[in-house]
Amino acid sequence: MSKGFAMHHQRVLYHRQPGETNKGRHVLSTILLLLALIVVQIESLASDGGPAGSMPKKRLWDRRHVLGSAAAAGLFLPGFGGHLPHAEAAVDKGEFWTLSHTTKRGTPVRVPCVGYSFYKTDSAMVGRCLNLALAAGVRHLDVATLYNSNAQIGVALQKYLETGLIPLEPAKKGDDPPPPKQVRGNSQRRRQQLFISHKLSNMEQSLDRVNVKASVKSEMEKLGASYLDLCSIHSPLTDSKRRMGTYEALLELQQEGLVQAVGVCNYGVGPLNEIISAGLPPPSVNQLELSPFNQHNDVAQWAKEHDTVLSCGAWSKLSG
């Protein structure tokens, strides 16, 4: 693994449980990553009609997806080395699967390492998926206007925040579900434990900062959120004027206390340099696809130089 891919991990502090070590996590993650690479190679042979050509491609993709996710979990989850029994206590402290980074501008960014994205989540499944994520300890929710599910997320999220109850799935189909899981604390504490990351669509980008801010507030209302932990521009694929007008609007929302941190997604060095050339602060976060097969070394170097956190969006298979 090259220096460019690894460097963005050197600037974060993991919150571990007392006595936790890296050894078990690193050994297991290495094994899982090697298995994932083997499966990638098998599929490559299969696509060329090689020895594995008779194996169903769909099954191989699913296996690679699972192995890749497991490898990522082993690399980045502080609790993976046999300390998951401490997970609930860590959630109560707001430290479960969390990395911290304080930028040179003094803006604290505390992002849960593992999140659930509602990308391609069917609207009818939103509530169930949210509950599954919360029950597993996930507190980072990745939402977007483009996903068209914020209203449904808001309904399910408000039930959780008000009651602290998480409905659980039955062990087998046809069985009665177990009693719901109770998360301690009040609604304010439960909200503080969440990290809600919202992304504006290309259609919402505008030179008119008033319109941009109105779009963000509209999505916040759907979510039932009084503030967003992170609000980002989803894509640079518009034009420079609209990108910059939207970015300035998000900075204004940050000043107003409606947005805790401002970020971008899928930005290369060109659009990132536009921000610096305009004399504006760099984004706190740049979310993009990042893997051993798609390392974005130039973006990683830029992030290191400008004190921006790279957020790896594992929305696709490990090979990119």
Side-chain angles (χ1 to χ4, degrees), residues 42-59:
I42 290 173
E43 182 166 298
S44 177
L45 290 171
S47 64
D48 295 332
S54 61
M55 297 181 70
K57 187 171 183 179
K58 176 66 176 174
R59 184 178 176 186

Side-chain angles (χ1 to χ4, degrees), residues 6-27:
M7 64 173 60
H8 72 288
H9 301 304
Q10 298 170 1
R11 302 177 293 110
V12 299
L13 299 175
Y14 289 106
H15 294 272
R16 297 187 177 90
Q17 296 302 315
E20 181 181 350
T21 62
N22 290 328
K23 184 176 180 181
R25 179 164 55 94
H26 286 170
V27 170

Side-chain angles (χ1 to χ4, degrees), residues 8-249:
H8 72 288
H9 301 304
Q10 298 170 1
R11 302 177 293 110
V12 299
L13 299 175
Y14 289 106
H15 294 272
R16 297 187 177 90
Q17 296 302 315
E20 181 181 350
T21 62
N22 290 328
K23 184 176 180 181
R25 179 164 55 94
H26 286 170
V27 170
L28 183 55
S29 64
T30 300
I31 293 172
L32 290 172
L33 184 57
L34 288 173
L35 287 172
L37 294 174
I38 290 170
V39 174
V40 170
Q41 182 61 29
I42 290 173
E43 182 166 298
S44 177
L45 290 171
S47 64
D48 295 332
S54 61
M55 297 181 70
K57 187 171 183 179
K58 176 66 176 174
R59 184 178 176 186
L60 276 170
W61 189 93
D62 288 342
R63 190 181 304 170
R64 178 172 63 183
H65 182 77
V66 170
L67 287 171
S69 300
L75 283 167
F76 302 124
L77 297 190
F80 203 83
H83 292 274
L84 287 177
H86 300 291
E88 185 138 354
V91 167
D92 288 341
K93 291 190 243 179
E95 296 180 347
F96 187 43
W97 295 354
T98 301
L99 59 86
S100 288
H101 174 62
T102 302
T103 69
K104 294 172 184 174
R105 304 180 302 281
T107 304
V109 180
R110 287 174 55 84
V111 187
C113 289
V114 175
Y116 180 82
S117 176
F118 287 87
Y119 175 55
K120 289 190 175 180
T121 301
D122 187 273
S123 59
M125 296 292 290
V126 163
R128 183 182 176 190
C129 291
L130 174 63
N131 289 329
L132 286 169
L134 291 172
V138 173
R139 295 296 182 268
H140 180 172
L141 304 177
D142 181 74
V143 306
T145 304
L146 192 62
Y147 303 163
N148 198 31
S149 56
N150 281 348
Q152 293 88 346
I153 294 168
V155 171
L157 197 56
Q158 290 313 304
K159 289 181 181 178
Y160 163 71
L161 292 174
E162 291 170 7
T163 67
L165 297 175
I166 306 173
L168 300 178
E169 296 283 310
K172 296 179 182 178
K173 188 176 181 180
D175 288 356
D176 292 332
K181 183 176 181 178
Q182 176 71 58
V183 177
R184 295 186 290 270
N186 56 29
S187 59
Q188 183 179 6
R189 181 174 178 78
R190 286 188 284 271
R191 174 60 185 94
Q192 289 171 348
Q193 293 170 349
L194 293 176
F195 187 92
I196 301 178
S197 172
H198 173 67
K199 301 187 287 291
L200 285 92
S201 68
N202 288 351
M203 293 294 294
E204 293 171 295
Q205 292 188 41
S206 173
L207 288 170
D208 188 335
R209 297 200 292 270
V210 173
N211 283 344
V212 173
K213 290 160 70 173
S215 294
V216 174
K217 291 175 183 178
S218 175
E219 296 303 315
M220 289 174 62
E221 186 175 348
K222 293 178 185 178
L223 291 165
S226 60
Y227 67 93
L228 296 170
D229 298 274
L230 174 66
C231 192
S232 304
I233 299 174
H234 205 154
S235 164
L237 300 179
T238 53
D239 58 71
S240 178
K241 290 183 179 180
R242 281 190 286 171
R243 285 194 296 267
M244 295 308 300
T246 303
Y247 193 80
E248 289 174 359

